[in-house]
């Protein structure tokens, strides 16, 4: 038998929450001490595991009470269904992470993942929609359907462009070769991500040079100074610097 405090320490569920689960009939203790304190046995802990899995899947408490209290409740079948749902949830999260990484490389800011919690996926999705959902670029990007292998190839090809920029960085960003590379970059982004107007391209160029993570990624592909060179070539191409 375990006390409510011990269960709380073991599971991370607060004592207040455990008491509330008892009050609503979701997790009654196995027994009580003479002093009236709740005690939980292995059966209660197994039930709590089921509850936590349902909560992780964001089932409302009223639905969990109905499910686990039903005489037809099949723990084994429920666990199989929970595993399937959790796998789907993991796949969705993996897709979101992959999506955010691709966006970061091409220059659209992503939500800060340090505050990301898998129990708040819906909240994240809403923020993402508010952040990007009304932009033409996002709509275009979200319609691109590719497999993981195809996405990997696209990103490798994208970084190869900066390797080509790196071969030119000892020359002038105003040179015909450098300007041809900028045009090639713009065309690649338009083909694989979204329509890259000169305005968008200009913003990307500034970000490539100013943001340390962008700069490091680009320089890792083309060598030190590639990001700055590409940014200057883009500025020329977009008419911000006269030839």
């Amino acid at each position: 038998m375990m006390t409510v405090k011990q269960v709380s320490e073991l599971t991370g569920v607060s004592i207040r929450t455990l008491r509330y689960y008892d009050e609503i009939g979701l997790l009654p203790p196995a027994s009580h001490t003479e002093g009236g304190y709740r005690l939980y046995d292995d059966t209660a802990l197994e039930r709590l595991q089921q509850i936590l899995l349902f909560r992780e899947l964001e089932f409302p408490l009223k639905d969990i009470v109905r499910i686990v209290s039903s005489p037809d409740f099949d723990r084994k079948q429920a666990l199989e269904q929970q595993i399937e749902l959790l796998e789907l949830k993991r796949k969705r999260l993996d897709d979101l992470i992959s999506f955010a990484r691709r966006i970061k490389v091409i220059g659209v800011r992503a939500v800060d993942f340090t505050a990301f919690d898998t129990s708040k996926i819906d909240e994240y999705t809403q923020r993402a929609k508010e952040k990007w959902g009304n932009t033409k670029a996002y709509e275009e990007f979200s319609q691109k359907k590719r497999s993981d292998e195809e996405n990997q190839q696209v990103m490798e090809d994208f970084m190869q462009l900066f390797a080509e920029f790196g071969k030119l960085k000892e020359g002038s960003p105003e040179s015909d070769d450098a300007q041809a590379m900028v045009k090639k970059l713009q065309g690649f982004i338009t083909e694989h991500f979204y329509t890259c107007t000169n305005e968008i391209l200009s913003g990307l160029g500034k970000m490539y040079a100013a943001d340390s993570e962008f700069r490091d990624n680009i320089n890792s592909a083309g060598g030190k100074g590639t990001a700055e060179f590409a940014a200057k070539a883009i500025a020329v191409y977009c008419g911000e610097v006269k030839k």
Side-chain angles (χ1 to χ4, degrees):
M1 291 285 189
M2 298 181 68
T3 65
V4 67
K5 181 179 180 181
Q6 289 171 327
V7 172
S8 177
E9 292 174 346
L10 175 67
T11 65
V13 179
S14 69
I15 293 175
R16 181 178 180 181
T17 296
L18 291 170
R19 288 171 177 167
Y20 180 66
Y21 285 175
D22 181 16
E23 291 171 5
I24 64 176
L26 179 57
L27 184 67
S31 62
H32 294 80
T33 66
E34 291 183 0
Y37 293 102
R38 297 171 176 83
L39 293 174
Y40 297 85
D41 60 8
D42 288 344
T43 300
L45 292 177
E46 289 179 2
R47 185 178 174 107
L48 179 57
Q49 289 175 338
Q50 286 288 332
I51 293 168
L52 294 179
L53 284 171
F54 279 122
R55 290 299 290 153
E56 184 64 26
L57 291 166
E58 301 176 14
F59 278 57
L61 284 176
K62 63 179 181 179
D63 289 344
I64 301 176
V65 173
R66 177 178 54 79
I67 292 169
V68 299
S69 300
S70 170
D72 298 326
F73 178 65
D74 185 328
R75 183 177 180 275
K76 183 177 179 181
Q77 183 181 21
L79 184 58
E80 290 175 353
Q81 292 172 336
Q82 288 167 334
I83 290 172
E84 183 177 358
L85 287 170
L86 287 167
E87 287 176 343
L88 289 172
K89 187 176 181 181
R90 179 179 64 183
K91 175 64 167 60
R92 179 168 183 239
L93 181 54
D94 287 343
D95 288 344
L96 284 172
I97 293 173
S98 177
F99 171 69
R101 284 174 175 163
R102 294 197 305 275
I103 285 180
K104 189 168 183 61
V105 171
I106 63 173
V108 181
R109 285 300 192 181
V111 175
D112 182 6
F113 274 84
T114 60
F116 189 85
D117 183 341
T118 56
S119 67
K120 298 181 179 180
I121 284 182
D122 285 343
E123 178 184 343
Y124 163 79
T125 304
Q126 182 60 34
R127 292 207 312 268
K129 184 176 180 181
E130 291 172 356
K131 188 176 184 67
W132 304 315
N134 294 324
T135 67
K136 183 178 179 181
Y138 173 78
E139 290 176 2
E140 232 180 307
F141 183 85
S142 64
Q143 290 171 6
K144 302 288 185 182
K145 302 298 182 182
R146 291 187 289 256
S147 66
D148 290 342
E149 292 77 12
E150 289 171 332
N151 282 325
Q152 181 65 30
Q153 187 60 57
V154 167
M155 297 315 298
E156 289 178 3
D157 292 344
F158 183 66
M159 296 313 294
Q160 181 59 35
L161 295 177
F162 291 108
E164 295 179 36
F165 268 112
K167 296 176 182 179
L168 303 173
K169 68 178 184 292
E170 299 304 324
S172 170
E174 301 174 2
S175 70
D176 291 342
D177 287 342
Q179 291 302 292
M181 274 306 304
V182 175
K183 185 175 182 179
K184 186 176 180 180
L185 174 66
Q186 186 178 38
F188 187 92
I189 294 172
T190 295
E191 179 181 356
H192 296 284
F193 300 110
Y194 50 69
T195 300
C196 185
T197 64
N198 281 9
E199 181 181 3
I200 290 176
L201 184 63
S202 174
L204 292 177
K206 293 181 175 66
M207 198 174 298
Y208 291 158
D211 186 283
S212 61
E213 190 164 355
F214 282 112
R215 188 170 60 248
D216 291 345
N217 287 336
I218 292 172
N219 288 345
S220 68
K224 186 177 181 180
T226 300
E228 291 80 357
F229 177 82
K232 291 175 181 177
I234 290 171
V236 173
Y237 182 89
C238 294
E240 297 172 14
V241 177
K242 292 183 179 180
K243 292 186 179 182

